[in-house]
Amino acid sequence: HHWPKSTRSVVLEVIADQVDAVAELSPWAWNAGYNLPEPYAAQGGVQIDPVVSEILVRGRRVNPDGQVLLQVPCQPDSDVTPQVTPPPSWMKYVLSAGPAKPITMTWSLHPDAGDPPVPGLQALFDEGARILGQDDDLNLGCGLDDDVPMYLEFFIIPARHAQFPAGLHDPKYNEITSPFDLDVLVMGLNLGAGGKEFANIKLVSRLYIGGIELAGWAGRSAADRSNRWVWPSIVLVKTKLSSLLTIHEYGHLVHPEGLDHRGLENGNNPGEFNDTTAVMHHSMCDPAQGHGVEINAYYERPWFQSYTPAVWNAYNP
């Protein structure tokens, strides 16, 4: 089968020990004729704490959990030798590789929204995965404001309807000003022309709802705020795309009732409302106000971990 992108994601566990070359000399080093005071690798060492010392693999820092998300080229093989700062005189290490959680979603573009965003959209979700995969505050706590890593791999592929189906070519589905028109895209309503569930991600030129210019909308009805049902569906303004926007809108999908902005009163995502470090900070509705890069261990990561969106890829000619 054809791999749909040029990289693969690997979650690499790194266990590195500093070895004392004086106390643990190899009994074979001198006899072998190398004339190097080489440590005896079978002896134990002192484990290097990734919080205290910077351990880098392919330029990415190993998290406090001892793991790092890598996006490596499919071919050829990649060097994953750990680099430690400050560097020990001698080090031994063990690497264990595992997969990231795969997330597949399709995209489609309104015909009036310009050229397809390929490979740009995939690259933005890949960058978003790198953001989610990095523990920025280097803590191991589990509070509402402690950043923790989440290891995802996104596969963002064109839908069978890579351009909106004929029933949705009306400009009102590209320059969206009505919450009812937005719901047609979010909820996958069947217009009798391939409209139902034709793509997870819909790209348009404008979202202007309730007097507010938006960069994206995800999951829930815009017209009926009491409707807590969540569809695996995101609408994004093509000219406002960013890696932070993609993971923010994706984050709204992960909760059964739609994950709210962090700290929203009477919402389902507790925490500090004004924590601008949060991926789910409310300012994501206005990209000019800046974005956060963190999810917490207490509430957000479990939903990100457990959620897998249904793939929408229906085709009705």
Side-chain angles (χ1 to χ4, degrees), residues 218-287:
R220 283 168 45 191
S221 169
D224 180 7
R225 298 300 181 90
S226 66
N227 185 343
R228 302 296 294 188
W229 186 262
V230 176
W231 291 264
S233 179
I234 301 172
V235 179
L236 298 174
V237 176
K238 187 188 166 200
T239 57
K240 297 181 180 181
L241 294 175
S242 72
S243 55
L244 290 163
L245 175 66
T246 62
I247 57 174
H248 174 90
E249 297 301 339
Y250 176 79
H252 282 307
L253 303 182
V254 303
H255 188 278
E257 294 186 348
L259 187 65
D260 289 328
H261 293 138
R262 186 186 292 183
L264 185 68
E265 187 176 0
N266 298 320
N268 59 26
N269 188 9
E272 173 52 53
F273 182 71
N274 292 316
D275 183 359
T276 57
T277 67
V279 165
M280 300 311 297
H281 185 253
H282 61 86
S283 71
M284 190 61 69
C285 291
D286 181 357

Side-chain angles (χ1 to χ4, degrees), residues 5 7 9 69 71 103-107 117 119-133 152-157 200-203 233-236 241-251 253 304 309:
K5 56 182 184 174
T7 61
S9 294
L69 176 71
Q71 295 169 342
I103 301 295
T104 299
M105 292 188 291
T106 60
W107 62 263
L121 192 60
Q122 177 68 68
L124 291 175
F125 271 91
D126 285 344
E127 185 179 349
R130 292 194 295 272
I131 291 171
L132 291 174
L152 301 178
E153 179 167 22
F154 290 101
F155 298 93
I156 309 301
I157 60 177
N200 294 99
I201 301 168
K202 291 88 170 179
L203 297 160
S233 179
I234 301 172
V235 179
L236 298 174
L241 294 175
S242 72
S243 55
L244 290 163
L245 175 66
T246 62
I247 57 174
H248 174 90
E249 297 301 339
Y250 176 79
L253 303 182
F304 273 82

Side-chain angles (χ1 to χ4, degrees), residues 22-270:
V22 175
E24 301 174 10
L25 289 179
S26 168
W28 300 293
W30 295 101
N31 296 336
Y34 296 117
N35 293 324
L36 293 173
E38 185 175 313
Y40 182 25
Q43 295 291 331
V46 178
Q47 185 167 344
I48 299 171
D49 186 343
V51 175
V52 177
S53 299
E54 183 181 69
I55 306 176
L56 298 179
V57 181
R58 296 182 64 83
R60 287 184 58 79
R61 183 164 186 169
V62 174
N63 291 316
D65 64 1
Q67 300 184 100
V68 60
L69 176 71
L70 302 178
Q71 295 169 342
V72 297
C74 295
Q75 296 291 339
D77 293 340
S78 300
D79 183 1
V80 291
T81 304
Q83 306 294 325
V84 179
T85 303
S89 298
W90 296 94
M91 177 181 72
K92 63 181 182 180
Y93 58 88
V94 176
L95 306 178
S96 302
K101 179 182 174 68
I103 301 295
T104 299
M105 292 188 291
T106 60
W107 62 263
S108 182
L109 176 74
H110 192 280
D112 295 340
D115 296 329
V118 178
L121 192 60
Q122 177 68 68
L124 291 175
F125 271 91
D126 285 344
E127 185 179 349
R130 292 194 295 272
I131 291 171
L132 291 174
Q134 194 68 52
D135 188 335
D136 294 279
D137 57 20
L138 296 178
N139 291 325
L140 283 171
C142 58
L144 292 176
D145 58 354
D146 174 43
D147 186 32
V148 290
M150 178 67 238
Y151 304 118
L152 301 178
E153 179 167 22
F154 290 101
F155 298 93
I156 309 301
I157 60 177
R160 292 187 179 96
H161 279 294
Q163 187 178 94
F164 283 17
L168 298 172
H169 285 189
D170 191 304
K172 70 180 182 178
Y173 297 120
N174 180 50
E175 303 259 354
I176 302 173
T177 58
S178 162
F180 298 98
D181 294 335
L182 177 55
D183 277 1
V184 170
L185 300 183
V186 172
M187 300 163 66
L189 300 180
N190 191 349
L191 303 183
K196 185 173 178 60
E197 301 181 358
F198 68 94
N200 294 99
I201 301 168
K202 291 88 170 179
L203 297 160
V204 300
S205 295
R206 189 187 189 197
L207 277 177
Y208 183 73
I209 304 297
I212 302 174
E213 291 282 356
L214 301 174
W217 187 277
R220 283 168 45 191
S221 169
D224 180 7
R225 298 300 181 90
S226 66
N227 185 343
R228 302 296 294 188
W229 186 262
V230 176
W231 291 264
S233 179
I234 301 172
V235 179
L236 298 174
V237 176
K238 187 188 166 200
T239 57
K240 297 181 180 181
L241 294 175
S242 72
S243 55
L244 290 163
L245 175 66
T246 62
I247 57 174
H248 174 90
E249 297 301 339
Y250 176 79
H252 282 307
L253 303 182
V254 303
H255 188 278
E257 294 186 348
L259 187 65
D260 289 328
H261 293 138
R262 186 186 292 183
L264 185 68
E265 187 176 0
N266 298 320
N268 59 26
N269 188 9

